[in-house]
């Protein structure tokens, strides 16, 4: 359901284009790893994957399940809440493993959060957390790197700026681009898997940003 909604509604907020490497393959049971820059980019990525015939299960912050309407949509679609810290933190990987074994695509944001920058410029993906590598270790699933650019032109910065951006996006209709890279078959320890996936997602993001003529902002210290 979120994929269909994103596909139907996103054209009102921006102009989406999609490209893919020649050997890109969104095979059942794959992990889709995307860069995370904005509250809007899940909708951008879901709409792009919908065009390519893919309907992933999304791993997302558990707090979204408490949002009226959205929470019901996420539950109905069997998406995966991520509880950061506490006794339920491991549940997300268990649910993702089950989804992959059932042949679903699983969309993960390995950075674990969005940038705190106030500007709308593009910047390289931040460091990846260990969840992606642990999921690969448990399942052996291939990783499909996805890069998106332009979502920060819809929402970025503080709450007031984000609201203003969302309200004015239908008038501005900024350019949005998603690029799907070739699937990776990581072999090695968690550090090697994390480094390989991060490099591939960064390259996909660079392709997406270049398509929009975006000039990346410097990555903040520690990212």
């Amino acid at each position: 359901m979120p994929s269909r909604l994103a596909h139907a509604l996103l054209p009102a907020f921006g102009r989406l284009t999609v490209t893919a490497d020649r050997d890109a393959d969104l095979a059942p049971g794959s992990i889709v790893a995307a860069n995370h820059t904005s509250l809007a980019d899940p909708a951008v990525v879901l709409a792009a994957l919908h065009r390519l015939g893919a309907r992933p299960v999304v791993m997302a912050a558990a707090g979204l399940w408490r949002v009226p309407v959205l929470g019901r949509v996420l539950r109905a679609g069997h998406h995966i809440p991520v509880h950061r810290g506490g006794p339920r933190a491991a549940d997300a990987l268990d649910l993702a493993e089950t989804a992959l074994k059932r042949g679903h695509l699983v969309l993960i944001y390995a950075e674990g959060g969005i940038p705190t920058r106030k500007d709308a410029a593009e910047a390289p993906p931040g460091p990846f957390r260990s969840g992606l590598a642990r999921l690969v270790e448990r399942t052996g699933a291939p990783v499909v790197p996805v890069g998106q650019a332009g979502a920060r032109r819809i929402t970025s910065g503080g709450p007031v700026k984000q609201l203003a951006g969302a309200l004015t996006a239908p008038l501005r209709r900024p350019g949005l681009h998603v690029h799907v890279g070739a699937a990776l078959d990581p072999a090695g320890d968690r550090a090697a898997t994390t480094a390989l996936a991060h490099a591939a997602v960064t390259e996909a993001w660079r392709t997406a940003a270049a398509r929009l003529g975006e000039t990346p902002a410097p990555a903040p210290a520690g990212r």
Side-chain angles (χ1 to χ4, degrees):
M1 188 179 297
S3 294
R4 293 197 299 272
L5 285 173
H7 176 71
L9 297 177
L10 189 66
F13 292 86
R15 295 169 286 107
L16 175 64
T17 50
V18 183
T19 54
D21 286 353
R22 182 171 298 178
D23 49 352
D25 183 14
L26 291 161
S30 298
I31 301 168
V32 179
N35 63 310
H36 202 11
T37 65
S38 162
L39 292 175
D41 65 60
V44 174
V45 172
L46 287 176
L49 295 178
H50 190 280
R51 285 193 189 181
L52 299 175
R55 315 286 187 270
V57 171
V58 183
M59 298 179 71
L64 296 175
W65 271 251
R66 296 193 295 270
V67 178
V69 181
L70 177 60
R72 291 198 297 272
V73 170
L74 292 170
R75 281 189 288 273
H78 303 288
H79 298 280
I80 300 170
V82 179
H83 299 268
R84 295 191 178 95
R88 301 182 64 186
D91 292 353
L93 287 185
D94 293 338
L95 293 170
E97 180 179 2
T98 298
L100 289 167
K101 289 180 177 178
R102 290 176 176 172
H104 296 291
L105 292 168
V106 172
L107 172 59
I108 185 171
Y109 288 99
E111 292 162 273
I114 60 176
T116 57
R117 293 184 294 110
K118 303 299 184 184
D119 63 274
E122 292 294 322
F128 281 6
R129 298 189 180 188
S130 64
L132 171 61
R134 286 186 285 141
L135 189 55
V136 170
E137 186 177 72
R138 290 170 61 162
T139 64
V143 177
V144 180
V146 169
Q148 66 77 27
R152 289 184 65 81
R153 299 293 183 183
I154 299 177
T155 59
S156 60
V160 173
K161 185 180 178 184
Q162 289 191 36
L163 179 60
L167 291 175
T168 60
L171 298 175
R172 296 180 289 111
R173 297 192 70 244
L176 313 164
H177 192 86
V178 173
H179 182 77
V180 181
L184 312 172
D185 190 11
D189 60 19
R190 290 180 186 177
T193 294
T194 299
L196 179 65
H198 186 273
V201 172
T202 299
E203 184 60 30
W205 163 78
R206 290 190 188 282
T207 299
R211 287 277 181 161
L212 296 181
E214 289 278 357
T215 301
R223 282 181 58 83

